[in-house]
Amino acid sequence: MPPAGPTWLSSTVARWLILSLAGSCLLTGALFAGFDEGPYHRWLNLVIAVQIGGGALVLLTVWSWRNVRPGRTWLVLVILAGVIFRLAAMPASRDLSDDAYRYHWDGKAVASGINPYLYAPDDDEVAHLHIHAVDDKINHPWYRTCYPPVAELLFAAGYRLSPGRLRGLQLLQLAGELAAWLLLIGALRYRNLPVTTLLIAVWSPLVIFQGYLPGHLDV
């Protein structure tokens, strides 16, 4: 009969937990000591440390729960926590990247009936579209877009949800992740693999810090 709950108190788990926490602290100290002292690099170093340390803890949790067969309530709570993590990250600082501003611009161009492959944001032909504050934050505005057509349709949908803001695209990202989680649950059950593996996708700090904060398209 499988155990009724996680094995947090086993000596092996406790040992790995202590090592991962200690490693995260050492990594954070090394990053802060070895790089530029500017605010951007301090923020970036902290993010890297949190991603590595948090990711190690998630993997450790999955390993300790490997023999647990959770019920529907467990799955709902895990997914709900993942959604809360992402909603909390949406209004946070976007200093990690400015790619999302280009997504917003491309979406605006498509929604306005303009081909984003023809004009760069700095071109005179599209000067009338510069009506939002985020338009001034586009990286390399003298270049035309490099994103594929299906991505451009996604950008347009995100723009229509929240013109002038990035929230629409983030919500579409969240909807896509929810669909992926449901597919993952079905795949894990079909292959008779631990459903607790879902934690790697839902609670991964890498997805939150590299997806929702800078708005990267990878999500």
Side-chain angles (χ1 to χ4, degrees):
M1 177 179 295
T7 56
W8 278 108
L9 299 180
S10 72
S11 58
T12 302
V13 171
R15 193 178 303 120
W16 278 105
L17 178 61
I18 294 172
L19 288 175
S20 64
L21 290 174
S24 297
C25 293
L26 290 175
L27 178 63
T28 302
L31 287 170
F32 272 89
F35 287 89
D36 184 85
E37 292 299 322
Y40 171 77
H41 287 89
R42 289 178 179 174
W43 166 238
L44 182 60
N45 298 340
L46 178 61
V47 165
I48 293 172
V50 170
Q51 287 179 147
I52 295 176
L57 291 178
V58 170
L59 292 175
L60 180 65
T61 302
V62 171
W63 181 84
S64 67
W65 286 51
R66 66 193 183 282
N67 295 320
V68 177
R69 294 296 182 264
R72 183 173 300 178
T73 301
W74 183 93
L75 289 174
V76 170
L77 291 176
V78 165
I79 291 176
L80 181 61
V83 170
I84 292 174
F85 294 157
R86 285 153 178 78
L87 291 175
M90 286 183 185
S93 170
R94 308 185 68 83
D95 289 341
L96 285 177
S97 172
D98 49 15
D99 291 345
Y101 303 124
R102 169 69 72 159
Y103 303 161
H104 177 271
W105 172 265
D106 284 5
K108 183 196 302 188
V110 173
S112 303
I114 296 175
N115 187 342
Y117 298 109
L118 293 180
Y119 305 108
D122 270 358
D123 289 345
D124 293 337
E125 290 83 354
V126 293
H128 63 285
L129 294 182
H130 287 265
I131 58 175
H132 299 113
V134 294
D135 297 334
D136 297 329
K137 300 179 180 181
I138 302 171
N139 58 9
H140 306 101
W142 52 88
Y143 288 133
R144 288 174 289 178
T145 189
C146 63
Y147 297 103
V150 175
E152 296 295 333
L153 295 177
L154 180 68
F155 300 157
Y159 173 79
R160 289 188 181 279
L161 284 175
S162 59
R165 303 177 63 201
L166 305 175
R167 192 61 49 80
L169 184 59
Q170 291 174 318
L171 292 175
L172 289 177
Q173 290 175 324
L174 180 57
E177 274 207 288
L178 285 171
W181 296 344
L182 295 177
L183 290 172
L184 180 59
I185 292 172
L188 290 171
R189 285 177 169 170
Y190 178 77
R191 296 179 62 85
N192 198 29
L193 295 172
V195 180
T196 50
T197 308
L198 180 70
L199 281 170
I200 298 176
V202 179
W203 287 7
S204 170
L206 179 66
V207 176
I208 296 174
F209 279 96
Q210 295 300 329
Y212 290 87
L213 287 181
H216 284 142
L217 184 61
D218 308 72
V219 175

